[in-house]
Every structure is written in structure tokens, then in C-alpha cells.
Amino acid sequence: MKTLTYIEAISEALWEEMERDKNVFLLGEDIGKYGGAFKVTKGFHEHFGEERVIDTVLAENAIIGAATGAAMMGMRPIAEIQFADFVSNGFNQLVNNSAKIFWRCNIPVPMVVRLPSGGGIHGGPYHSINPEAWFFHIPGLKLVAPSTPYDAKGLLKSAIRDNNPILYFESKFLYRRIKGEVPTNDYTVEIGKADIKRNGNDISIITYGTGVHWSLEAAKILEEENIDVEVLDLRSLIPIDKEAIFSSVKKTGKILIVHEDTLTGGIGGEIAALISDNCFEFLDAPIKRIASPDTPIPFAPTLEDHFLPNTKKVLSALKSLAKY
Amino acid sequence: MKNKTTKKISKTYLIKKNNHISSNMKLQFYYHMQLMRKFEETVFKLYRQGKVVGGAYSSEGNEATAIGSAFALEKNDYLFPMHRDIGAHFVKGQSVKNLMLNYLGKSQSPARGHDGTGHYADMKLKIFGNISPLGAMIPLANGVALASKMKKEKSVVLNYIGDGGSSIGDFHEALVMASVMKLPLILIIENNQYAYSTHISKQFIVEKLSDRAIGYGINGITIDGTDVELVYKTTKDAVENARKGNGPTLIESVTMRMQGHAIHDDASYVPKKLMDYWKKKDPIVVYEKKLFAEKILSDKKKNEILSEIQRQLDEASDVALNSPFPVWEDANEKVFAE
């Protein structure tokens, strides 16, 4: 094992997959010599050359469209969208082309779109969003959102090897803030499998991405009050691991859903409906959600701190659930 | 104002005088233009009988553009046709039967009933049928061109867009990318005067749509899209240029949509005078006269061609009508590839 930051884990996965398969290539804005806005691809240009590390024009529909067309040809493109917010410019290509081509034409579209997502970096309304819910609704796209270096590397490798269009939501808040153990040998994390990040019997938190860290901190604090919290990290949003969700519900009977994305129309609502449909008789309390409020993401530190979920908010929701 | 770019454009696009077209090829042009028109007439008939669902689109007036350009491609080149280019599918090797099955949404059709009309893709024939909105095809065509270039195939990609489709942002984004990356892309704007009911006067104010090529620093030319031989020669030139690694070309092919947007649309918004003008330029009628004058076509040969086309259409309709529809269970399982 070795210790890597979250961003190093992403870089390593890209590097190793490019070494492994010559059909894997990268395209995106400023990813070449500059190494990308967040330096995920630093050194790639020199090693793999400009044909496989392509600096593109600043046009997201063209980037995602080109990735989709190349994927239909059997290449394995990985498109970097500089900030996940900008994926709205490539929305049509993703939802009308990438997502539908296999179903319409029986031609696989093995591509990955990397989406540096989320707030907490004072990026303001245009550099901070979590757009996963826009795509959660689209049949034909797979969505993954790692929370640890281990999952970041393993899920990215699986995504690159998968024969479908995959949106890879990477938390730029976590990039250099967390470190974790990662195997030195080649490994993958299966897409569609959730992971119990902490075992517990009293309350289940269902979460992903940054939410995992607030949840683990809150669970740790509640140890002192003898409240035993389970933290289920979805890791994949589509396909979603229903079995893992239902089995955790059946174990604890109390559910808190945590995500950084805003509340209304967020994927927490769908998870709540799945639980209600399938595990109603196992519930001992209403399903609770912690998410960001329904406003654009604010810039000023005072406002952003108020906007984002955090350990304290998770803790307070857990305490109210514990009372049932 | 003249600059280097405009000079380059006019110099590049002298149509090669030695670009000889054999009698056999001329007959092929004629055959395919007739097949295209008769195929759509058959589709319209089946639509009125309730056998074709959704919509039926006529390419009447566009036959020379679709056929002439498609003939400029080699087997290893890629075709991204739109709904006014049905004949281009046949030139590229698609069977009449397969396309008829697709129009009827049958399970044996290329799109397996998951989609209809010309909406399908066939990797072996290198045909990527139309996507709606049409402009969304161009970034995808870029991707195919890019991958083909990476694989060192020496292939080119031919994509079509309408006058209306040239307004969407994808058009700009894709041409910016294609020009910078020198992708082997030929984009033909089929300027057929109307986008649904919207006249070109409400779509652009440039004199020629090919003038937009200047803004991308690529080759551009505007041609009479009813002249099949001119379309062929122009496209061939652009294809050779792209194959040499000189990047994309924008061709504006000026035609007329002789019917409504689709079968439900009577095109009553089109002035009669405009229609009358273009009727005289019917690409099939004009070309037929030319081939008769050149003694390449005779009454006997014409009848042979028309009855062969009819035979194929009857056979294809018969197969398609008697073929089963798909079932939900098969469709439901195919959202993701394994």
C-alpha cells in the first residue's frame, strides 16, 4: 500500500490506464502543457504526447461531441470539463448523443467525462456546483462519485474500462485535503457497488462524495452518546446499489440522506422514494435529508459556510432521528 | 476586404477540369437520384396507408446534392447524412430493404425499432444517420474524424447540415475545433431556402453561407446544388484536400425543398413564383435531358432503370410490411452496453 491524496489517485488512474491501453486518450481545456486547471494531468503531455493529451478549443459541446464520436470508433476518450459547472454547455451532446447512441444504434460509447465538482473553495455560483442530478434522470449515462483516494482511483479505472458513457464527479474540495491508502498493484472498484464506510446499528446515513466525510465525523462524535451510526457511501449513483441501501434500512430503520447538491430535485428524493416503496415496514422514523438550500452557490465565506452542509448539520439531523 | 484567407479559398476551388466523369458513373448518378425519389414516394404512399408512423420527409429537389456528394466518398470514408439525403445511404451501400424496415420501425431494421426513418448508425458501412437537432451531428462527426486520424485510416467524414441547422452553436463550436485540429471533415450546408417554415431571410444575412468559412480560416464554396456533376466534382475536390491533411471544407449547396418540411406540411407559405423557378431546375429532369442529349440514356435504358427500381421497392416494401415489430423486453435491456 501507499498513501496518496485524492487528486494523486485520479492522476495515477489516468496515467496507468493510458499506459495500459493505447486507445485511451485525454481531451479538454488547458490539460496539455499547462497540466490542467487543477494540475490533474501535469506531466502527461510530455510523456504521452500532444496526440493523446489534446488541448481543445473552449467549447464543451465540441469536446463532449468529439469524445462521443471517437468512442463510437472504439477509442476510449476521457474528457475533462474544467469546472463541472461548464458541463451545461455540453448538455445536449451528453443527453441526446452519448446517452442514447448505444440504445438507438447498438454501438458502445466507452467514454468518461471528468467533472471537478462542488463548493467549499470560494468559487461562487459558476465554479462550485454539483450537477449530478441533471444527469441522474437520463437513461444511458452512468454516474460515479468517489469519496476517498482508494475509490477515486479504482472507480476511474473501472469507468475507463467500461463500455458506456460515464460521468465521473470528482470533489475538488477533497483534491488535496484528504489522503488515503491505495494498493500499489492494479485494482478496480466495481461500478454499481456501494461501500459501508462505517458499520452501525442505530441510524443509517446514505451519502456520497464530500457527504461521506461530514457523516463520518458526525458518527464519530455520536459514539460518545452511544449512538451507533452506519455510513453507506453509494460511490455509484447510476447504477445505484439498491440492495446495499435496503439492507442498511432493514438493519437500522432510521435513514438520513446527505448530499452537497441542493435539496429539491436532488437524488436524495429518489433514494427516499426507493426506500418508501421497498422498505416501508422497516422504517422507524421519517426519512430525513441534509442538502444545500435551493439557492445558487454564494461566494462570500460567510454565505458559503451557511449554504453548504457540514458535520454540525449532519449531527443535528442524526440527533433528531435518534429520538424516534 | 480581401485578405489572405479569401485568396486561398478562390485559388483552391477551381474545379479540376480533368475531373472526368465516365458514362457509367453518369448512369449511376441518374439511377441513384431516381431511386432516392421513388423510395420517398413509396414511403409517402405507405404513410398515407398508416404503415409508416411518425413522419415522412421528402428530399425532392435535393437529389443532386445528396447523390453527387456521396459518390465522392470511398468505401473507408464516413457519411453523416441528414433526412434530405436518403439516397446517400444507398450510395454508401445501405440496402433499400433495411431502410424500409427502419421507416416501419420493425425489429429487423438497423435501429431495431428503437428509432425510425434515417435515424440509425451502421459502423460497417460507416453511415451515421441523422441526429436531431441536426447541428448536434457536427461535433460527433468531428469525433469520428479525430479517431480516424488517430488510427491513421486516411479516411474523411462527410456531414450535411441545413440552412437552419447552420444557426445552432454546435455548428460554430465544431468548425472551430475541426479547423484548429485540421480534421478531415467536409460539411455541406444544404441551403434549400426553408427551415421548416422559416425562410432563409430570417436565418442569415450573409450573401453566401460559405462566406462563414473565412471566419474559420477554412476553404469554402457555394455551388448550384441541383447540378449532380458539379456537386460531385466539388465534393471530390474537398475530399482529396481533406485526405491530404489540409483540414475541413465548407460547401454551401443551393437547392430547393420542393415539398413541405414533412408530409403534414403543405408548404403554403412558399411563394408560387419561387416554386415555379425551382421546378425548372428539377435535378432529375434536367439531368435526364442532359444524358439523353449525350446519348448516354435512351428510352429503353430509362425504362430498365425505372423498372429495376420499382422491383426493389416492391420487394423491400413486401419484406418490411410482413416483418415483426420489436417487443418491449428486448428494448428494455439495451440501455447499457456490457
Side-chain angles (χ1 to χ4, degrees), chain B residues 48-336:
Chain B
R48 293 197 173 99
Q49 292 169 2
K51 308 288 189 194
V52 166
V53 295
Y57 302 84
S58 168
S59 311
E60 192 186 329
N62 200 52
E63 290 88 349
T65 293
I67 301 303
S69 56
F71 265 101
L73 294 184
E74 304 292 333
K75 205 174 172 216
N76 281 332
D77 294 330
Y78 297 86
L79 180 76
F80 278 73
M82 52 175 229
H83 56 306
R84 313 274 182 218
D85 306 305
I86 288 306
H89 293 248
F90 302 136
V91 174
K92 200 76 181 68
Q94 187 54 278
S95 73
V96 176
K97 184 193 77 176
N98 273 349
L99 215 48
M100 195 62 84
L101 282 162
N102 218 57
Y103 271 74
L104 269 66
K106 296 301 180 76
S107 69
Q108 298 302 312
S109 68
R112 292 117 58 238
H114 293 201
D115 209 337
T117 61
H119 295 289
Y120 72 93
D122 185 323
M123 291 300 286
K124 280 198 188 118
L125 293 174
K126 302 185 190 294
I127 300 172
F128 298 77
N130 51 300
I131 287 160
S132 308
L134 294 164
M137 272 194 287
I138 319 172
L140 208 63
N142 269 351
V144 169
L146 172 63
S148 174
K149 201 176 163 183
M150 291 174 99
K151 288 166 183 261
K152 306 202 189 315
E153 290 181 338
K154 293 270 173 201
S155 299
V156 304
V157 178
L158 172 60
N159 182 197
Y160 308 80
I161 192 75
D163 42 281
S166 73
S167 294
I168 201 168
D170 293 62
F171 175 92
H172 174 69
E173 288 197 19
L175 282 183
V176 167
M177 181 180 269
S179 60
V180 169
M181 296 176 80
K182 279 197 184 295
L183 297 178
L185 174 78
I186 296 99
L187 183 60
I188 298 184
I189 306 177
E190 297 177 349
N191 174 359
N192 64 7
Q193 316 303 315
Y194 284 87
Y196 208 142
S197 76
T198 306
H199 184 249
I200 51 171
S201 58
K202 292 184 176 177
Q203 202 73 245
F204 56 88
I205 60 165
V206 284
E207 191 190 334
K208 299 180 304 229
L209 281 171
S210 61
D211 286 348
R212 289 186 177 163
I214 298 165
Y216 303 110
I218 61 172
N219 298 314
I221 187 169
T222 291
I223 56 168
D224 178 351
T226 64
D227 181 343
V228 68
E229 293 186 8
L230 178 65
V231 173
Y232 168 74
K233 286 179 177 178
T234 310
T235 315
K236 189 90 182 158
D237 234 14
V239 164
E240 281 170 16
N241 203 39
R243 215 184 295 287
K244 278 182 209 152
N246 294 332
T249 296
L250 184 65
I251 300 171
E252 180 192 26
S253 193
V254 184
T255 66
M256 176 67 194
R257 198 190 70 202
M258 296 302 290
Q259 300 199 30
H261 170 67
I263 194 165
H264 64 273
D265 171 16
D266 68 1
S268 53
Y269 45 80
V270 179
K272 191 175 172 300
K273 246 178 134 178
L274 187 64
M275 216 47 127
D276 290 344
Y277 169 79
W278 285 95
K279 249 178 208 154
K280 288 180 202 141
K281 288 171 68 70
D282 182 308
I284 297 180
V285 175
V286 171
Y287 201 55
E288 192 175 283
K289 267 186 203 158
K290 184 176 186 285
L291 294 195
F292 266 102
E294 291 179 11
K295 301 209 183 311
I296 288 167
L297 194 62
S298 61
D299 282 325
K300 185 169 170 277
K301 188 76 196 162
K302 181 185 167 183
N303 286 335
E304 273 174 28
I305 287 172
L306 291 181
S307 45
E308 165 59 16
I309 288 171
Q310 198 52 50
R311 188 193 62 74
Q312 282 193 53
L313 288 169
D314 289 345
E315 193 185 298
S317 306
D318 195 45
V319 171
L321 287 167
N322 291 305
S323 176
F325 276 110
V327 293
W328 171 250
E329 284 68 25
D330 293 340
N332 191 29
E333 286 167 9
K334 294 286 165 63
V335 174
F336 290 114

Side-chain angles (χ1 to χ4, degrees), chain A residues 23-178:
Chain A
N23 288 325
V24 177
F25 74 98
L26 312 179
L27 72 169
E29 298 162 9
D30 307 301
I31 66 166
K33 260 190 186 154
Y34 186 65
F38 296 101
K39 302 289 177 223
V40 171
T41 55
K42 190 168 179 278
F44 281 58
H45 184 265
E46 289 78 356
H47 185 75
F48 294 105
E50 62 181 11
E51 281 202 357
R52 291 181 72 196
V53 187
I54 302 173
D55 267 327
T56 64
V57 294
L58 274 64
E60 283 77 10
N61 245 343
I63 294 168
I64 294 171
T68 308
M72 289 172 78
M73 295 278 287
M75 303 298 287
R76 293 189 176 270
I78 303 164
E80 175 177 306
I81 300 299
Q82 197 160 77
F83 284 81
D85 312 57
F86 307 162
V87 75
S88 53
N89 293 330
F91 195 75
N92 185 58
Q93 285 298 330
L94 273 175
V95 305
N96 266 326
N97 282 345
S98 323
K100 289 180 184 169
I101 281 168
F102 178 71
W103 194 81
R104 288 177 56 246
C105 307
N106 211 21
I107 299 168
V109 181
M111 62 183 277
V112 179
V113 180
R114 287 183 38 241
L115 298 157
S117 306
I121 59 153
H122 314 306
Y126 297 116
H127 297 81
S128 305
I129 67 163
N130 294 282
E132 62 268 22
W134 295 349
F135 303 103
F136 188 67
H137 187 62
I138 308 297
L141 299 175
K142 290 187 183 178
L143 277 52
V144 299
S147 69
T148 65
Y150 178 90
D151 290 344
K153 186 171 177 183
L155 274 174
L156 186 48
K157 283 185 166 234
S158 289
I160 294 166
R161 297 176 195 185
D162 198 283
N163 285 325
N164 294 283
I166 305 210
L167 304 190
Y168 181 90
F169 297 93
E170 53 193 60
S171 163
K172 46 190 195 294
F173 181 80
L174 297 178
Y175 271 163
R176 293 176 176 85
R177 282 184 176 86
I178 59 166

